[in-house]
Amino acid sequence: MIRLFVALSLPEALCDELSMMCGGIPGARWVPEENYHLTLRFIGEVPGWQAQEVDDALAGIRAPGFDLTLRGVGTFGKSGRISALWVGVEKTEPLVFLQSKVETALQRGGLEPERKRFAPHVTLARTDRAAPEKAIAFVQAHNLFRAAPVPVDGFTLYSSRLGKEQAVYEREVEYGLLDPKPAAAIRA
Ligand code: 3AM
């Protein structure tokens, strides 16, 4: 069995910028810089034969590249507990298009439909062992964060091995996106 997810990786300079924001919350488990990603679809544990079908399905995706912009900071959690801190992502049309292509391809590859709404984000920390006030203060301090747009020309099938503190992510397969439409073609 192999634990898989589909995600966008981020350029090193952007990861550096994100990691510079991190720190100052006792008990938070900060995601190591090399693990930053934007999940398009969590797959979970699948047998080897199904991983092959997933790969085949993803390889068939045709979608244009686009620019990705990270901005704002937020939290996941419920009933007063904050489980994660993340940086937000502009939910643009080409990003949503790619995510829906991935979803359709995976269903064709035999996976059950994803029930959760796509909420694009980059997780910075798991905060279930931290004081919620500290996580809230972090959000307030960084809420105006905005990164320069970065070009996305592909997406990645990652494997994940769960470690004691941090998961170990491995880039298994990279898939290319089509050249983005030139501005002139969009205007025409
Ligand atoms: O992209 P983020 O960091 O929010 O939390 C896991 C991580 O999300 C999530 O998949 C991403 C890559 O590991 N994940 C882990 N288990 C999950 C599950 N059972 C899950 N997402 C949905 N269901």
Side-chain angles (χ1 to χ4, degrees), residues 3 5 31 37-39 42 76 114 116 121-123 126 160 167 169:
R3 186 180 170 89
F5 65 98
V31 174
H37 63 271
L38 188 173
T39 300
F42 178 75
F76 286 140
E114 174 59 83
K116 276 196 248 159
H121 64 275
V122 178
T123 301
R126 318 259 168 220
S160 157
Y169 297 151

Side-chain angles (χ1 to χ4, degrees), residues 76-154:
F76 286 140
K78 55 181 168 191
S79 36
R81 300 195 67 83
I82 295 179
S83 56
L85 275 178
W86 44 260
V87 165
V89 176
E90 283 186 5
K91 201 172 172 182
T92 58
E93 193 243 304
L95 171 63
V96 171
F97 180 75
L98 174 61
Q99 194 273 335
S100 66
K101 284 278 194 178
V102 168
E103 178 60 31
T104 311
L106 292 179
Q107 287 180 28
R108 242 184 260 130
L111 298 180
E112 289 297 313
E114 174 59 83
R115 305 251 166 251
K116 276 196 248 159
R117 210 168 74 92
F118 178 47
H121 64 275
V122 178
T123 301
L124 296 179
R126 318 259 168 220
T127 51
D128 36 322
R129 294 180 210 154
E133 312 82 73
K134 296 278 184 194
I136 291 164
F138 182 91
V139 171
Q140 285 165 347
H142 296 285
N143 214 13
L144 295 179
F145 173 80
R146 188 189 166 101
V150 291
V152 174
D153 57 11

Side-chain angles (χ1 to χ4, degrees), residues 150-168:
V150 291
V152 174
D153 57 11
F155 61 100
T156 306
L157 178 62
Y158 283 86
S159 65
S160 157
R161 277 182 296 117
L162 299 179
K164 260 208 183 115
E165 278 301 308
Q166 294 292 350
V168 178

